[in-house]
Amino acid sequence: TKTQRAEGKGTELQNRTAPRFSNDLQGSRLGPLDGLLFALSAGGDSMSQRDLSQLIVKAGGKISNTVHKRVDYVVASAQARRRNTQAVRKALGKFGIPLISPDELRHRIDEPT
């Protein structure tokens, strides 16, 4: 029923934990973003969305053009957070996806394993 489906989604969101970056795993030979899917709500800060996309792909991650339940992280600039963009609203409200800043993303990619 509709109620059962809604209850199941609520439980899924409550139990959701942020996936780990590959460089959190010792001895990993994969790129630090290998297997992770990102959506972007950035730009206007130090990097453009195009530059962020290239950085993510180069580090082994994938880019989604929309925010949906399979997205692991939404890269959101301070400006996107202030403006409460649709991607930010969907990430936080509908899907419970963690937001990270472009600077945090660069730090995660650059930090040694």
Side-chain angles (χ1 to χ4, degrees), residues 16 18-19 35-39 68-74 97-98:
R16 183 179 181 126
L36 296 176
L37 182 61
F38 293 84
H68 51 81
K69 66 182 179 181
R70 291 187 315 264
V71 169
D72 296 303
Y73 293 95
V74 173
I97 299 169

Side-chain angles (χ1 to χ4, degrees), residues 69-101:
K69 66 182 179 181
R70 291 187 315 264
V71 169
D72 296 303
Y73 293 95
V74 173
V75 181
S77 65
Q79 182 179 10
R81 292 174 195 223
R82 266 193 318 275
R83 290 183 177 182
N84 198 26
T85 63
Q86 182 179 5
V88 169
R89 289 191 310 269
K90 284 176 78 174
L92 293 176
K94 189 172 183 180
F95 298 115
I97 299 169
L99 300 178
I100 61 172
S101 70

Side-chain angles (χ1 to χ4, degrees), residues 19-23 25 28-38 55-62 72-73 109:
R20 296 175 64 156
F21 285 87
S22 295
N23 58 2
L25 305 173
S28 176
R29 293 186 185 153
L30 306 172
L33 306 182
D34 192 60
L36 296 176
L37 182 61
F38 293 84
L55 183 68
I56 290 168
V57 171
K58 187 176 178 181
K62 294 183 180 180
D72 296 303
Y73 293 95
I109 292 172

